């Protein structure tokens, strides 16, 4: 499978937004929140989550236990203008139609097409940045048209889009888990460099006794 690694694409249209001043702590919303993996990466850096939404009951219960917030809700029923003001939008939108283990319908599928609700929030609230995550197959050749459509939707919402393939094993987790990440800004930040990560986390082979 041929993969794209790190790329960026300029926004074709930019909406101006009034300055929010020099607030010390950034605010975030957690859409399609799951159990809060994306939020977990931002909170240690002073980012405060002010709203979250997750439809799956089991995931929402785990989220509630992890953070003390109740994210229960359906993203497809949210009024984008009613979502609290925020600086960063986080979302790991459904992958069932993108994953090679799934239906492979791409954006034609009922679940993965829900990224359109993210476009609506971005256009309505114009946060300074977003971070989106999905399965690595999103950057594969069979998904090329769908990925181009996603970039176009984010660009039309007013963002400069960057993307890369990252592996959890290079960020402290003993798991070979590649994921596609898309990062966008409401202004041109020039060259955006994704973190390279470190050496691969420990492999189970290192702990097995030799016969």
């Amino acid at each position: 499978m041929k993969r794209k690694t790190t790329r960026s694409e300029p926004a074709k249209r930019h909406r101006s937004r009034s300055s929010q001043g020099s607030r010390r702590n950034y605010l975030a919303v957690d859409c399609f929140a799951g159990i809060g993996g994306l939020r977990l990466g931002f909170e240690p850096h002073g980012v405060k989550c002010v709203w979250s939404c997750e439809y799956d009951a089991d995931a929402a219960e785990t989220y509630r236990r992890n953070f003390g917030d109740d994210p229960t809700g359906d993203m497809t029923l949210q009024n984008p203008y009613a979502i609290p003001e925020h600086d960063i939008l986080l979302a790991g939108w459904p992958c069932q139609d993108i994953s090679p283990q799934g239906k492979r319908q791409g954006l034609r599928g009922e679940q993965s097409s829900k990224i359109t609700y993210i476009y609506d929030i971005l256009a309505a609230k114009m946060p300074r940045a977003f971070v989106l995550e999905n399965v690595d197959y999103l950057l594969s050749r069979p998904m090329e048209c769908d990925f181009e459509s996603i970039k176009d939707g984010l660009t039309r919402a007013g963002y400069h889009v960057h993307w890369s393939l990252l592996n959890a094993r290079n960020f402290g987790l003993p798991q070979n888990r590649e994921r596609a990440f898309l990062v966008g800004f409401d202004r041109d930040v020039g060259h955006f460099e994704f973190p390279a990560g470190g050496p691969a986390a420990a492999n189970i082979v290192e702990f097995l006794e030799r016969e």
Side-chain angles (χ1 to χ4, degrees), residues 107-174:
L107 298 184
R108 302 187 309 279
E110 180 181 357
Q111 295 300 318
S112 296
S113 63
K114 291 179 181 178
I115 191 174
T116 57
Y117 294 96
I118 298 300
Y119 304 157
D120 293 341
I121 298 172
L122 291 173
K125 308 303 291 190
M126 283 302 295
R128 298 181 181 184
F130 66 74
V131 177
L132 308 182
E133 175 268 341
N134 211 288
V135 294
D136 58 343
Y137 199 68
L138 178 64
L139 300 183
S140 69
R141 185 172 295 279
M143 287 289 147
E144 188 171 5
C145 290
D146 294 278
F147 186 57
E148 290 298 323
S149 178
I150 290 171
K151 288 190 297 178
D152 182 63
L154 296 170
T155 299
R156 285 187 286 106
Y159 287 83
H160 296 258
V161 185
H162 310 260
W163 62 95
S164 185
L165 185 70
L166 302 178
N167 195 326
R169 68 182 299 188
N170 299 121
F171 296 89
L173 295 180

Side-chain angles (χ1 to χ4, degrees), residues 31-144:
C31 308
F32 300 109
I35 63 174
L38 283 176
R39 171 176 174 172
L40 194 63
F42 280 80
E43 286 195 333
H45 300 283
V47 177
K48 179 181 179 181
C49 185
V50 295
W51 184 85
S52 53
C53 189
E54 172 53 47
Y55 182 76
D56 182 82
D58 292 332
E61 175 60 23
T62 301
Y63 192 102
R64 193 159 40 241
R65 295 187 181 190
N66 283 342
F67 302 102
D69 297 336
D70 185 1
T72 304
D74 187 341
M75 281 299 303
T76 68
L77 301 179
Q78 305 303 313
N79 177 356
Y81 292 95
I83 292 174
E85 296 294 330
H86 54 281
D87 302 292
I88 307 170
L89 180 146
L90 308 175
W93 85 97
C95 67
Q96 291 93 324
D97 302 305
I98 297 174
S99 172
Q101 282 74 45
K103 300 178 180 179
R104 301 193 190 187
Q105 292 180 309
L107 298 184
R108 302 187 309 279
E110 180 181 357
Q111 295 300 318
S112 296
S113 63
K114 291 179 181 178
I115 191 174
T116 57
Y117 294 96
I118 298 300
Y119 304 157
D120 293 341
I121 298 172
L122 291 173
K125 308 303 291 190
M126 283 302 295
R128 298 181 181 184
F130 66 74
V131 177
L132 308 182
E133 175 268 341
N134 211 288
V135 294
D136 58 343
Y137 199 68
L138 178 64
L139 300 183
S140 69
R141 185 172 295 279
M143 287 289 147
E144 188 171 5

